[in-house]
Amino acid sequence: MPNRRFADGEVVMGRWPGSVLYYEVQVTSYDDVSHLYTVKYKDGTELALKESDIRSQSSFKHRKSQSSSSSPSRRSTSRSRSRSPGRPAKGRRRSSSQSREHKDDKKKTIQETNLALLKPSENNTRRYNGEPDSTERNETSCIILEQKLKPDLEIERVLEQYSLHPRKEEKKKEERHSEKKFFETIKTIEKASSKTKELEFGGRIGTFMLIFFLPATVFYLLLMCKQDDPSLMNFPPPLPALESLWEARVFGVFLLWFFLQALFYLLPIGKVVEGLPLSNGRKLQYRINGFYAFILTAAAIGALLYFQFELHYLYDHFMQFAVSATAFSMALSIYLYIRSLKAPEEELAPGGNSGYFVYDFFTGHELNPRIGSFDLKYFCELRPGLIGWIVINLALLLAEMKIHNQSMPSLSMILVNSFQLLYVVDALWNEEAILTTMDITHDGFGFMLAFGDLVWVPFVYSLQAFYLVGHPTAISWPVAAAIIILNCIGYYIFRSANSQKNNFRRNPADPKLACKCIFLFVQLLYNVSLYCLNTHFSCCIDYSTLFTDLKFIPTATGKGLLVTGWWGFVRHPNYLGDIIMALAWSLPCGFNHILPYFYVIYFICLLVHREARDEHHCKQKYGVAWERYCQRVPYRIFPYIY
């Protein structure tokens, strides 16, 4: 096994794939199996290079000093211009050693020309810093240089043709051709076979603990909500008998619900769209019919209520449904991991290919597991859990009316159901936007997403409604109006930010993206405040200022970083809107206990952690352009705070 020549962190000169150019790169890692070095260019691009295509900086400087005199092509002046380059001059014959020396001099000339571009020009530096006035790429300079070197390369080709050692030269030529062919596909190979090196969620130990901690948290929250005094001081809550946690009929109802949503997913209604390109360049197709599935589900629930089906059966067996969903998600996760062992290398998730069983089982080993055209991850992301969340909320609303002998639900319960219904309908209506999220493009489908989609979302996100059934809270209409305004503000930020991002990704030239939605929104709030103070509308909206030039920072990947509108205000404005809505969902429960505020506390922690993952991913992907964006937009989620 050959020893590695370059150490991690060492700055060397790396050859750009498919060209004769060498650039300054930094060695990040070395693969003992493929014997490839992973290097990082100044613009953030990472490639895998063979050792033969990496040279030390000192070797470049040494060669440059040797050829600092006059050009080698001008040293021999006795050769006649009318003669062929491969034919010796009159009166003397050129020996084979002289021919080799001439070729070496010519190669030095080419090497000197290459070295002239190793130092980036001012324009290149500005480009990789993300300046919008320069959008040319590395390939342009490579093409120009190759065009300049074309005459010299032609001369070298003729010299090789008339060389005294043609077989050796042909062999070297074949090696160069094979190396060029190898580097043309190096990006795809590196992406497909790369192992997950940076482990998240506490690594192997952390993920192992989370597999048990997450279900225990769900059961603890549900048991606490059943208590008369759900205070943290009453820990631990009384545990039910184990045999009471499982019922075959409940598990059958859950399976019926899951496969009913699968049937709705397979219906040939709704448009079919393509997702983002995979590592092999292929694009998967997805059928967008989540909203139709919601309509069909609502019709089915309406039919059950019409025939006087007791929907509060869900509330009476709530813990058993949670246990059934947990058991199903565990079985699904085991199936997903077993089938991922036979999946092709390019279909594995970049974040779940560590080689450690527990970690890959938790994060998901396969990126897009499919049974035919049935995408398991995409289906579970929105259908059974998200729509089931609304069905559970409706069952809890009916249970509150029955238990407390009310002719209509409480105002708090109406607010919670209305806010969360709006959120789910919005997600299903804009279903196509989920194709660009980290869950679809980066994370594999394992226990983390299976348990999150099927258990955490329907049984934890409905915690406020479950709390209100046993602990009714009365609120006044002015308080309800304030909570409604807060939720509308959060929803407006959430929806407009996501719409901006999705429209920019699909059509960066969309004129709607230039709308100054922040200034319009602030101005509207100012006008409302003036109205509430019984003053005249002295501040009018100037619609001529609502549109401005679209601003974005170009990157080396060809994509842009949007700095217009909400995305020029904070880096993750959609997270900010999400957190404001989460607070509005908890406020109708009052302030007697902290339990209904678990959702907003958890959600802040979740989004801060996800934002950190986004930061790390974007910094690796966009390089210096992302640092430029962070300087332009310093706040991550909360303006002037974080």
Side-chain angles (χ1 to χ4, degrees):
M1 217 183 197
N3 296 326
R4 58 182 299 181
R5 181 181 172 188
F6 304 103
D8 290 348
E10 185 177 353
V11 178
V12 294
M13 309 304 295
R15 176 187 171 190
W16 186 261
S19 71
V20 295
L21 297 177
Y22 282 80
Y23 290 92
E24 186 176 297
V25 298
Q26 184 178 17
V27 178
T28 59
S29 63
Y30 177 74
D31 192 347
D32 294 328
V33 179
S34 61
H35 308 302
L36 296 178
Y37 288 87
T38 301
V39 299
K40 187 174 184 179
Y41 291 80
K42 286 187 175 181
D43 65 342
T45 304
E46 291 189 1
L47 294 176
L49 301 181
K50 295 200 304 189
E51 190 172 275
S52 59
D53 292 285
I54 303 177
R55 301 182 183 179
S56 62
Q57 289 183 319
S58 59
S59 64
F60 273 83
K61 292 177 182 177
H62 179 66
R63 291 185 181 187
K64 188 172 180 180
S65 62
Q66 283 182 342
S67 58
S68 58
S69 60
S70 61
S71 175
S73 61
R74 297 185 180 180
R75 290 174 185 169
S76 177
T77 57
S78 61
R79 188 177 64 190
S80 173
R81 293 191 181 185
S82 62
R83 295 189 173 272
S84 171
R87 188 175 299 170
K90 223 180 225 185
R92 67 179 178 92
R93 294 179 59 88
R94 179 178 296 170
S95 65
S96 61
S97 60
Q98 288 176 335
S99 177
R100 284 195 300 270
E101 287 176 3
H102 181 77
K103 287 189 290 182
D104 291 340
D105 291 341
K106 186 60 62 179
K107 289 179 181 178
K108 286 181 181 179
T109 306
I110 297 172
Q111 187 65 46
E112 286 179 7
T113 312
N114 294 344
L115 289 172
L117 285 185
L118 289 177
K119 185 177 180 182
S121 63
E122 183 182 358
N123 190 29
N124 290 337
T125 306
R126 287 168 57 189
R127 179 174 73 249
Y128 293 122
N129 281 341
E131 292 291 343
D133 56 345
S134 178
T135 55
E136 61 267 43
R137 298 166 63 90
N138 281 342
E139 289 84 346
T140 307
S141 60
C142 293
I143 293 172
I144 294 173
L145 181 62
E146 288 175 357
Q147 289 176 351
K148 290 181 179 179
L149 296 177
K150 193 173 182 181
D152 292 336
L153 294 175
E154 290 292 338
I155 294 173
E156 185 181 5
R157 194 175 295 111
V158 174
L159 289 174
E160 289 175 357
Q161 183 178 356
Y162 290 94
S163 173
L164 296 177
H165 306 279
R167 292 181 181 177
K168 270 189 177 181
E169 297 300 329
E170 286 177 6
K171 188 176 181 182
K172 290 181 180 179
K173 188 176 180 181
E174 288 177 1
E175 288 179 357
R176 286 197 298 268
H177 179 71
S178 63
E179 288 173 4
K180 182 177 179 181
K181 198 171 182 182
F182 170 80
F183 279 111
E184 285 177 353
T185 58
I186 191 66
K187 284 188 178 181
T188 306
I189 295 173
E190 170 63 12
K191 252 187 176 179
S193 61
S194 61
K195 291 286 186 180
T196 304
K197 300 173 184 177
E198 298 181 3
L199 305 185
E200 300 178 294
F201 307 104
R204 288 176 287 175
I205 298 177
T207 51
F208 178 78
M209 295 178 62
L210 284 173
I211 292 174
F212 299 96
F213 177 76
L214 291 176
T217 302
V218 174
F219 301 148
Y220 167 75
L221 293 172
L222 299 183
L223 289 174
M224 288 299 295
C225 280
K226 281 281 192 177
Q227 304 303 312
D228 294 333
D229 182 18
S231 174
L232 295 178
M233 304 301 295
N234 294 333
F235 180 84
L239 299 178
L242 290 179
E243 58 270 14
S244 66
L245 295 177
W246 180 262
E247 186 177 327
R249 182 184 177 187
V250 172
F251 186 70
V253 173
F254 178 83
L255 290 179
L256 178 63
W257 166 258
F258 184 87
F259 289 110
L260 177 66
Q261 293 302 316
L263 176 63
F264 291 160
Y265 174 78
L266 293 173
L267 292 178
I269 55 176
K271 62 180 180 179
V272 177
V273 300
E274 289 184 339
L276 296 180
L278 301 176
S279 60
N280 56 8
R282 191 165 61 98
K283 292 183 179 181
L284 298 178
Q285 291 187 335
Y286 301 88
R287 184 171 292 280
I288 307 299
N289 60 3
F291 188 77
Y292 296 107
F294 177 77
I295 297 298
L296 293 174
T297 303
I301 296 298
L304 291 176
L305 294 176
Y306 177 78
F307 290 105
Q308 298 182 348
F309 178 80
E310 297 291 342
L311 199 59
H312 62 79
Y313 174 84
L314 290 172
Y315 175 77
D316 297 335
H317 300 82
F318 202 60
M319 182 65 72
Q320 294 172 341
F321 273 106
V323 172
S324 299
T326 302
F328 182 82
S329 64
M330 178 62 73
L332 178 62
S333 302
I334 295 173
Y335 162 75
L336 291 170
Y337 184 78
I338 292 175
R339 64 162 283 159
S340 69
L341 299 178
K342 298 181 180 180
E345 193 76 14
E346 65 271 8
E347 294 182 5
L348 300 182
N353 191 20
S354 66
Y356 302 119
F357 161 71
V358 174
Y359 186 84
D360 294 343
F361 173 81
F362 179 82
T363 58
H365 195 42
E366 189 175 359
L367 183 61
N368 299 292
R370 289 192 164 200
I371 302 176
S373 62
F374 190 91
D375 194 297
L376 292 170
K377 181 171 70 170
Y378 178 72
F379 165 72
C380 291
E381 193 75 16
L382 286 179
R383 311 304 177 94
L386 208 65
I387 300 177
W389 174 17
I390 297 305
V391 175
I392 289 175
N393 274 355
L394 177 61
L396 296 174
L397 182 145
L398 297 175
E400 182 199 44
M401 295 174 58
K402 181 180 180 180
I403 292 174
H404 299 287
N405 296 320
Q406 297 174 350
S407 58
M408 64 177 298
S410 64
L411 181 58
S412 299
M413 183 66 80
I414 292 175
L415 290 181
V416 170
N417 270 258
S418 301
F419 294 161
Q420 296 179 353
L421 175 63
L422 173 65
Y423 185 81
V424 171
V425 170
D426 175 85
L428 296 173
W429 182 262
N430 299 281
E431 181 183 4
E432 190 175 347
I434 200 175
L435 299 179
T436 60
T437 61
M438 180 180 288
D439 289 353
I440 300 295
T441 61
H442 181 268
D443 294 338
F445 193 32
F447 180 81
M448 178 179 68
L449 286 182
F451 180 83
D453 294 338
L454 302 178
V455 183
W456 192 270
V457 169
F459 294 99
V460 174
Y461 286 18
S462 60
L463 191 65
Q464 292 91 349
F466 190 60
Y467 172 86
L468 288 174
V469 174
H471 308 86
T473 303
I475 58 175
S476 61
W477 279 104
V479 173
I483 296 174
I484 292 173
I485 292 175
L486 181 66
N487 187 79
C488 290
I489 292 174
Y491 175 74
Y492 176 80
I493 297 174
F494 171 80
R495 175 44 42 215
S496 57
N498 277 329
S499 297
Q500 258 192 332
K501 176 186 68 174
N502 297 327
N503 292 337
F504 178 72
R505 284 178 176 177
R506 298 195 175 277
N507 182 17
D510 190 350
K512 296 179 182 179
L513 296 171
C515 180
K516 292 183 179 179
C517 45
I518 296 178
F519 304 109
L520 172 61
F521 183 66
V522 173
Q523 202 162 13
L524 285 173
L525 288 181
Y526 180 66
N527 287 341
V528 171
S529 64
L530 290 177
Y531 179 77
C532 294
L533 294 173
N534 295 324
T535 60
H536 298 290
F537 278 85
S538 58
C539 179
C540 298
I541 300 175
D542 182 10
Y543 290 95
S544 64
T545 63
L546 295 184
F547 294 90
T548 184
D549 294 334
L550 179 65
K551 297 179 181 178
F552 64 93
I553 296 176
T555 67
T557 63
K559 297 180 180 180
L561 300 175
L562 187 62
V563 292
T564 299
W566 292 110
W567 299 93
F569 190 52
V570 290
R571 297 179 209 167
H572 298 276
N574 51 341
Y575 293 176
L576 175 63
D578 242 335
I579 292 173
I580 293 175
M581 284 191 291
L583 178 61
W585 300 352
S586 302
L587 288 175
C589 299
F591 301 98
N592 293 329
H593 299 285
I594 197 174
L595 189 63
Y597 290 88
F598 169 83
Y599 174 76
V600 65
I601 296 172
Y602 144 78
F603 212 56
I604 291 175
C605 297
L606 171 71
L607 293 182
V608 168
H609 175 260
R610 175 166 288 194
E611 184 275 334
R613 294 179 68 198
D614 287 343
E615 286 282 321
H616 181 72
H617 179 69
C618 291
K619 190 173 183 180
Q620 283 188 330
K621 184 177 181 180
Y622 300 118
V624 183
W626 180 257
E627 296 178 3
R628 177 71 174 174
Y629 174 72
C630 293
Q631 294 175 357
R632 184 81 171 264
V633 186
Y635 301 107
R636 299 170 183 255
I637 299 177
F638 303 101
Y640 306 104
I641 299 176
Y642 174 74

